[in-house]
Amino acid sequence: MKSTAFLFALLLVGFSSQAQKKVKERDLNGHWQMVFDFDDDFIEEEIAEEDFPWIGEIVAKGVSGIVLDILDEVDVRFEFQKDNRLKIMVDAFGEESVEYAHWFIDSKGGLVLDDDDNDDDIWLFDKGKLYAYERHNWSLERQPVYLKRVH
């Protein structure tokens, strides 16, 4: 019975990972816009996973709407350049800034942004968009952030 459950889990992981497409350097040409696709359910789940004292949880839930409103006013664009340089252009409340980071494609075809503090995050194509995924042992969990090509 355990082997059947294990085999089923492997097949499930295999099928879920087939939906994502490996990243190739030539596919990154152009400018990309970051889209934050957070909803209230996602935020509540994230808050529930944290180890907040009860007052911290109340405050976190209270400011989550403000955070979503702020994200609506932030425009983040990426330009993948030669030599694995990443130009990050941010326009927030009329203030523009440009920063640089590095990127690479890992051995499994996942895009890794060096600027990212979380080594478990990769980006994979799905229906023409680059979605952020968090690695969890044998599976990938899609995050509510993606990049769409703008030109």
Side-chain angles (χ1 to χ4, degrees):
M1 182 66 177
K2 285 184 182 180
S3 62
T4 304
F6 178 72
L7 180 61
F8 178 73
L10 279 178
L11 288 173
L12 184 62
V13 169
F15 285 122
S16 68
S17 66
Q18 293 301 314
Q20 301 89 26
K21 183 180 157 200
K22 293 180 179 181
V23 176
K24 295 185 173 95
E25 187 171 345
R26 68 178 178 266
D27 297 330
L28 297 174
N29 292 335
H31 288 239
W32 296 81
Q33 181 176 16
M34 181 175 278
V35 177
F36 303 99
D37 196 18
F38 298 108
D39 61 13
D40 291 336
D41 292 336
F42 175 80
I43 292 172
E44 285 186 23
E45 288 172 14
E46 289 295 310
I47 291 172
E49 288 177 9
E50 295 296 324
D51 191 21
F52 288 125
W54 66 271
I55 190 72
E57 189 172 330
I58 291 171
V59 171
K61 287 180 181 179
V63 300
S64 64
I66 297 168
V67 171
L68 291 175
D69 290 341
I70 290 172
L71 286 176
D72 287 340
E73 300 298 321
V74 176
D75 181 38
V76 181
R77 294 180 186 255
F78 290 177
E79 180 184 355
F80 295 92
Q81 300 178 337
K82 294 182 182 188
D83 299 325
N84 294 62
R85 286 185 52 151
L86 176 62
K87 182 177 181 182
I88 305 168
M89 298 153 282
V90 179
D91 182 352
F93 306 104
E95 295 290 323
E96 295 181 16
S97 65
V98 175
E99 296 186 26
Y100 290 89
H102 291 88
W103 62 271
F104 65 93
I105 299 171
D106 69 12
S107 62
K108 295 180 181 177
L111 174 65
V112 179
L113 307 180
D114 254 359
D115 182 33
D116 191 0
D117 294 335
N118 187 350
D119 294 332
D120 293 330
D121 288 346
I122 62 168
W123 298 76
L124 294 168
F125 277 108
D126 190 6
K127 298 178 184 167
K129 298 175 183 171
L130 274 168
Y131 282 90
Y133 289 86
E134 188 173 316
R135 294 180 193 173
H136 293 284
N137 297 324
W138 293 93
S139 66
L140 295 174
E141 180 182 337
R142 184 185 284 197
Q143 300 301 299
V145 176
Y146 63 90
L147 300 177
K148 68 177 183 178
R149 188 184 310 272
V150 289
H151 65 273

